[in-house]
Amino acid sequence: RCHSGDAVVSMIVGYGILAFRDPNGIRPLSYGRRQVTPTPAEEVAKIAPDVQKATGFPPSPVRTKVTGPPEYEYMVASESGVLTSTGFELIGDVPPGHALLLRRGAPPELFNCALAPAPHCPCVFEYVYFARPDSILDGVSVYRSRLKMGEKLALRMKEAWPDHDIDVVIPVPDTARTAALECATHLGIVYREGFMKNRYVGRTFIMPAQGLRKKSVRQKLSPIISEFAGRNVLLVDDSIVRGTTSKQIVQMAREAGAKRVYMASAAPPVRFPNVYGIDMPTKEELIASRVKDISEVAMEIGADKVFYQELQDLKDAIIEAGIDQGVTLSGMDCSCFDGLYVTQEVGDEYLSSLAATRTANRGSEASNAVHQLYRLDGHQTERAKS
């Protein structure tokens, strides 16, 4: 038996699709349906040879029906935004510990595969960062959750710093936009877009090499100088992980003419690695683990002040968003914030072994084309120097 956080989709050729989710429901898994548009029999006959040659099977007879009750095709995805954007109707989430079987021409079947009941603990980082804002995870709107995060962050800031001198709130795109907008609203401060994003650069915090992460931040974001010049700026980001991205962004804001730069995180300090499917840095790489005092975090990233969301406020934001939609979440996996891992097998020995593996493997091979180009560029630079 595998004790982990996973959502797995597998295809059984000629039979159907099998998907399953871990007993705690740490990772999300949604499924939906779309009504099939019947294909006339003569059209099917034209493509039948090509379909059979490519797959080894004839076209599904479901597609040839032109009368009778509606027929449906099904999709499984990590979040509902994928379904709705492709015309599928969300049915719901695969329950924790269940397997979903989708057979050709048959309705979905769910099987409870858990050996014993386990607490439902969806990963809080999905709501903070990974999921699209238009997705619904376990019945809870990601967008509404992030609005609540921004509201609670603003209230904490007003308590801690009632006489602030912030002139403008600027989000770090894209994930932080929702929280930043609501934060600005509750602070009573103007909200502005201050960075243009290059959509051809991926998420920087999971890139394997430090040099690549630094370089990619500059390529990823370009400041709109008019929104920074002469102002005290509050930058709102979804989280601060290593501090690499935050440091570069703060520096860009200063170069654009900001008088003071404050950084607010919609998530609490990230102090522990995530072991449930997110290639998060080792504990030693996390800035909040290395630096205990928030003032030191601000100094390290070059900001005048740093604000973090309280963990309880983050939990409440998601729980309250669920209650507004008639959903009650009994718990969440917050291990990257509090170090409490849902599966009992995760301990100091396992974390040390994982850290050694990640440290040894990270950056040893280029994991995609962008990384390969970076490594090639680095080799060319070294050759030019020599």
Side-chain angles (χ1 to χ4, degrees):
R1 291 278 176 167
C2 182
H3 300 274
S4 59
D6 41 50
V8 179
V9 181
S10 59
M11 178 176 289
I12 306 172
V13 178
Y15 189 79
I17 292 175
L18 178 68
F20 60 90
R21 192 177 180 194
D22 66 85
N24 296 104
I26 298 172
R27 298 263 73 83
L29 191 63
S30 304
Y31 69 108
R33 69 179 186 177
R34 179 173 67 184
Q35 187 170 343
V36 175
T37 302
T39 305
E42 59 270 18
E43 293 297 324
V44 175
K46 290 179 183 178
I47 65 171
D50 292 334
V51 171
Q52 188 150 359
K53 182 179 179 181
T55 66
F57 298 93
S60 171
V62 171
R63 294 181 177 276
T64 67
K65 297 179 68 174
V66 293
T67 59
E71 300 285 352
Y72 295 95
E73 55 188 355
Y74 297 88
M75 179 189 286
V76 185
S78 60
E79 52 182 297
S80 66
V82 178
L83 303 173
T84 54
S85 64
T86 50
F88 282 75
E89 170 195 358
L90 176 65
I91 295 175
D93 300 278
V94 175
H98 282 64
L100 171 70
L101 179 62
L102 301 173
R103 293 181 295 165
R104 295 185 359 162
E109 297 177 81
L110 283 169
F111 302 90
N112 188 352
C113 302
L115 293 177
H120 183 198
C121 299
C123 177
V124 72
F125 217 67
E126 293 281 353
Y127 296 93
V128 170
Y129 177 65
F130 271 109
R132 282 172 37 154
D134 58 336
S135 284
I136 298 172
L137 305 181
D138 291 302
V140 181
S141 165
V142 175
Y143 181 79
R144 290 293 183 90
S145 299
R146 290 176 184 169
L147 285 177
K148 294 279 189 181
M149 292 176 204
E151 175 186 344
K152 292 183 181 298
L153 180 62
L155 294 177
R156 287 287 184 182
M157 289 182 63
K158 287 168 76 172
E159 290 177 8
W161 195 18
D163 57 343
H164 66 79
D165 60 352
I166 302 167
D167 298 316
V168 62
V169 174
I170 293 177
V172 177
D174 283 319
T175 318
R177 282 191 168 119
T178 309
L181 179 60
E182 197 70 358
C183 181
T185 299
H186 285 270
L187 287 175
I189 301 172
V190 65
Y191 169 93
R192 288 287 185 269
E193 292 287 342
F195 293 102
M196 293 301 294
K197 183 178 178 182
N198 176 357
R199 301 190 179 277
Y200 298 98
V201 177
R203 286 172 162 168
T204 54
F205 95 95
I206 57 175
M207 289 181 174
Q210 178 78 343
L212 175 58
R213 290 190 292 270
K214 287 183 176 180
K215 185 173 183 178
S216 295
V217 172
R218 290 279 180 170
Q219 293 174 339
K220 185 176 182 178
L221 299 175
S222 177
I224 303 172
I225 294 176
S226 62
E227 303 310 309
F228 291 94
R231 292 177 170 180
N232 297 330
V233 178
L234 174 66
L235 299 175
V236 178
D237 206 349
D238 51 75
S239 57
I240 301 173
V241 184
R242 288 184 182 87
T244 305
T245 300
S246 300
K247 184 174 183 177
Q248 293 288 315
I249 290 171
V250 169
Q251 186 176 342
M252 290 166 66
R254 293 198 187 280
E255 291 171 359
K259 287 196 299 184
R260 293 187 179 89
V261 181
Y262 310 115
M263 175 70 77
S265 168
V270 180
R271 293 197 169 101
F272 303 90
N274 184 290
V275 300
Y276 301 124
I278 301 175
D279 186 21
M280 194 170 279
T282 62
K283 186 175 180 180
E284 290 71 25
E285 294 176 281
L286 301 170
I287 188 171
S289 180
R290 291 187 291 102
V291 179
K292 301 301 182 183
D293 191 86
I294 294 179
S295 63
E296 293 181 46
V297 174
M299 187 180 303
E300 186 157 328
I301 68 172
D304 294 284
K305 278 182 183 290
V306 168
F307 297 90
Y308 281 108
Q309 183 87 269
E310 294 289 333
L311 180 55
Q312 190 57 53
D313 284 344
L314 175 60
K315 293 180 181 178
D316 290 345
I318 300 169
I319 291 171
E320 289 171 15
I323 291 173
D324 290 345
Q325 297 168 273
V327 176
T328 302
L329 290 178
S330 57
M332 278 172 280
D333 172 65
C334 304
S335 53
C336 55
F337 304 120
D338 59 15
L340 302 177
Y341 294 94
V342 175
T343 53
Q344 300 301 314
E345 294 76 13
V346 178
D348 292 339
E349 183 178 348
Y350 175 80
L351 292 175
S352 298
S353 173
L354 182 65
T357 302
R358 285 181 170 177
T359 301
N361 292 340
R362 183 173 287 121
S364 60
E365 293 184 5
S367 55
N368 63 36
V370 174
H371 300 168
Q372 290 172 1
L373 288 173
Y374 168 76
R375 290 168 66 85
L376 179 62
D377 180 54
H379 290 319
Q380 295 291 348
T381 302
E382 290 301 317
R383 287 179 62 187
K385 288 179 180 178
S386 61

